[in-house]
Amino acid sequence: KNEVEQSPQNLTAQEGEFITINCSYSVGISALHWLQQHPGGGIVSLFMLSSGKKKHGRLIATINIQEKHSSLHITASHPRDSAVYICAVRSQGAQKLVFGQGTRLTINP
Amino acid sequence: DTGVSQDPRHKITKRGQNVTFRCDPISEHNRLYWYRQTLGQGPEFLTYFQNEAQLEKSRLLSDRFSAERPKGSFSTLEIQRTEQGDSAMYLCASSLGAGGFYEQYFGPGTRLTVT
């Protein structure tokens, strides 16, 4: 079992829909990251959190430390949100990130 | 642009050849990370540096791989005697790494194709 599991692996939705991507992890962490990767490979950090909830524009990230679970929500989704979304965790005392497999999101107009 | 840069962006090489990639981190960042990403998978950790010291290496980093950061600024990743299984995107990231809660900033990656 991977340390970081994401679901779903693929998600297709219509423009305007509310999107939820889930991330579960099995280790104690000091931080969890949500990252966005567009075709061509570049990775952009969306959120870094260790508790509670963060919001940036139409994106919301939540984390439940006790349940070892995080969600990324996108409100009013748009075709430009189409990308791979990756969850990554930094274990307590570690420096490296451990990544999930990613969720490929496609938003159709 | 003062982000993380990587060179080259794409490299096609024949099996058995040696390749070297370069990463230039954000200038004040003292930590530098190398990751590898194969198609359809999330990135996997290879190694990281704090200044010029290589502090951790993954078991993925076989003897054919070597990474350096000689002056604590840019870093190079060399793969000797490349194999088809080395085909992947090689990502570099950097961070301030002052301990605690820090963010890693990623470069655009170098896509390696071994034929």
Side-chain angles (χ1 to χ4, degrees):
Chain A
K1 189 177 188 297
N2 293 334
E3 286 184 35
V4 183
E5 297 274 355
Q6 288 185 236
S7 64
Q9 290 191 2
N10 294 282
L11 178 57
T12 300
Q14 291 300 120
E15 183 174 356
E17 287 189 37
F18 181 82
I19 302 299
T20 296
I21 299 171
N22 296 300
C23 175
S24 297
Y25 53 91
S26 57
V27 297
I29 67 169
S30 57
L32 181 143
H33 299 245
W34 281 103
L35 308 162
Q36 181 190 57
Q37 187 172 33
H38 279 284
I43 291 179
V44 174
S45 179
L46 299 175
F47 294 103
M48 180 174 60
L49 62 167
S50 59
S51 65
K53 176 179 174 178
K54 286 191 174 181
K55 185 176 189 292
H56 181 68
R58 296 180 294 106
L59 273 59
I60 303 165
T62 64
I63 188 168
N64 185 318
I65 295 294
Q66 287 73 32
E67 294 187 2
K68 293 186 167 61
H69 181 269
S70 176
S71 293
L72 176 69
H73 305 286
I74 305 174
T75 62
S77 59
H78 190 275
R80 65 175 175 265
D81 297 326
S82 298
V84 175
Y85 292 84
I86 303 172
C87 171
V89 302
R90 183 160 63 90
S91 302
Q92 290 169 343
Q95 301 303 326
K96 66 185 182 187
L97 292 177
V98 177
F99 296 80
Q101 284 191 305
T103 295
R104 182 174 299 277
L105 174 66
T106 303
I107 304 295
N108 293 319
Chain B
D1 188 284
T2 57
V4 179
S5 62
Q6 292 186 245
D7 183 70
R9 295 290 305 276
H10 303 272
K11 178 71 177 178
I12 300 174
T13 191
K14 292 185 177 179
R15 189 175 53 188
Q17 297 294 304
N18 299 343
V19 294
T20 300
F21 309 140
R22 176 178 170 129
C23 171
D24 286 87
I26 295 172
S27 59
E28 64 267 27
H29 286 185
N30 58 9
R31 286 192 178 158
L32 186 147
Y33 304 80
W34 285 100
Y35 296 95
R36 182 174 70 184
Q37 185 178 27
T38 53
L39 205 59
Q41 303 296 315
E44 296 173 292
F45 171 77
L46 292 178
T47 188
Y48 95 93
F49 293 84
Q50 179 162 310
N51 299 314
E52 65 274 11
Q54 188 174 19
L55 296 186
E56 187 175 350
K57 291 169 59 172
S58 163
R59 286 171 293 176
L60 294 174
L61 216 64
S62 75
D63 291 345
R64 296 184 298 106
F65 288 70
S66 63
E68 294 182 342
R69 195 182 182 198
K71 296 181 181 178
S73 56
F74 73 92
S75 175
T76 58
L77 177 68
E78 181 183 16
I79 309 174
Q80 296 183 326
R81 305 181 303 282
T82 53
E83 301 172 356
Q84 287 187 319
D86 298 331
S87 295
M89 174 76 84
Y90 290 84
L91 294 161
C92 175
S94 70
S95 72
L96 268 173
F101 208 53
Y102 62 89
E103 188 164 355
Q104 292 186 22
Y105 294 83
F106 286 83
T110 294
R111 185 172 294 284
L112 173 66
T113 302
V114 181
T115 62

